[in-house]
Amino acid sequence: AANLSPEEEAAFRSGLTVGHKRGAYNCGTDYHWSRGVYVRIPFRTNCNTTFREYFLGAWVNDAGSSSNASNSLAGGMYSLWGSLLEDSLSSWSTAGCAPFVNYCAAVPNSSGFAGVAAATGSQFALTNDFTMHASGLPQNVFTFMLVGTEDVFFPNPGGSLGNLCVGGALGRFNQALQFTGASGTASHAVDLQAIPKPNAAPVPVQAGETLHFQWWHRDTVLGAPASNFTDGLRVTFI
């Protein structure tokens, strides 16, 4: 009824946490039951996911049978947290999100074009289906990706011709060196369970996290070796 895509439904279910404990005292045909429930519910605002926590309790007194007691508890719990789930699902079905946003203009390279970073796949971290692309690069040069936690603008780092657009906790995909070939393009399927970090082991992407990607590539100026960058791509995962 919320019209969620399969990816959204999987992400919603992944973010929903429920823990509960029942208490019961039976005396003849009198059934006195209770249940305490902890629930953590994901809410969406645009691309961001936030979590709200609740504790719910219900008490059934003098139920005539165990089935009546169980059904009464279930109905009581639904009356307590059914509206919370409906509000949460409504926030998912109406959330607007532009997950892939280019920023930080690139400097044209020796091909005559400015390198462009792009992505295909899903912004849902749970699906682990995310591929980065680069186009407009020089032919037959090596390139690899950078990933950071912040937008920056740092022109000509280390003598490069371009602009560094990613910063914060800056990681490098050193093991994913690509060759642009005759097309001047590159692609890399990113493992969202293993995002590189500086001086630390790779970590998984978290729902609600925003990362910034950029390609660094070799270049030449009048036959002399140089380097350049694509623009940056800001990606908010859900």
Side-chain angles (χ1 to χ4, degrees):
N3 295 318
L4 301 186
S5 69
E7 292 176 335
E8 288 175 318
E9 182 178 341
F12 177 85
R13 291 181 180 274
S14 176
L16 181 66
T17 301
V18 181
H20 58 91
K21 178 69 172 68
R22 180 177 68 87
Y25 177 75
N26 306 326
C27 182
T29 58
D30 295 329
Y31 290 78
H32 312 292
W33 285 19
S34 64
R35 188 178 298 277
V37 176
Y38 162 82
V39 59
R40 180 175 181 260
I41 305 177
F43 284 77
R44 284 274 308 281
T45 303
N46 297 325
C47 293
N48 298 317
T49 303
T50 58
F51 296 92
R52 302 180 192 176
E53 296 177 300
Y54 304 89
F55 182 81
L56 312 173
W59 164 258
V60 177
N61 186 50
D62 291 333
S65 67
S66 60
S67 61
N68 286 344
S70 179
N71 292 336
S72 296
L73 280 182
M77 279 299 165
Y78 178 77
S79 69
L80 290 172
W81 77 313
S83 61
L84 300 177
L85 285 176
E86 290 171 1
D87 289 345
S88 172
L89 287 167
S90 177
S91 76
W92 281 69
S93 63
T94 60
C97 178
F100 308 146
V101 179
N102 289 84
Y103 70 98
C104 185
V107 174
N109 55 64
S110 60
S111 73
F113 300 99
V116 177
T120 56
S122 172
Q123 76 271 36
F124 288 90
L126 189 68
T127 65
N128 201 5
D129 174 23
F130 179 75
T131 300
M132 282 291 301
H133 307 278
S135 60
L137 306 186
Q139 295 179 336
N140 303 314
V141 298
F142 286 106
T143 181
F144 68 86
M145 285 193 311
L146 305 173
V147 59
T149 55
E150 298 177 5
D151 293 8
V152 302
F153 180 78
F154 184 40
N156 312 122
S160 172
L161 302 176
N163 303 318
L164 179 64
C165 303
V166 297
L170 183 62
R172 300 187 297 178
F173 289 83
N174 292 332
Q175 305 304 314
L177 192 66
Q178 304 288 316
F179 192 64
T180 62
S183 66
T185 63
S187 296
H188 175 64
V190 179
D191 182 2
L192 298 182
Q193 297 299 309
I195 298 298
K197 292 290 183 180
N199 304 314
V203 298
V205 170
Q206 301 299 315
E209 184 176 12
T210 298
L211 294 176
H212 308 82
F213 296 88
Q214 186 177 29
W215 293 82
W216 174 91
H217 62 86
R218 291 290 188 185
D219 204 357
T220 58
V221 177
L222 299 176
S227 70
N228 206 327
F229 295 87
T230 66
D231 60 358
L233 188 73
R234 184 186 303 114
V235 181
T236 300
F237 294 94
I238 298 172

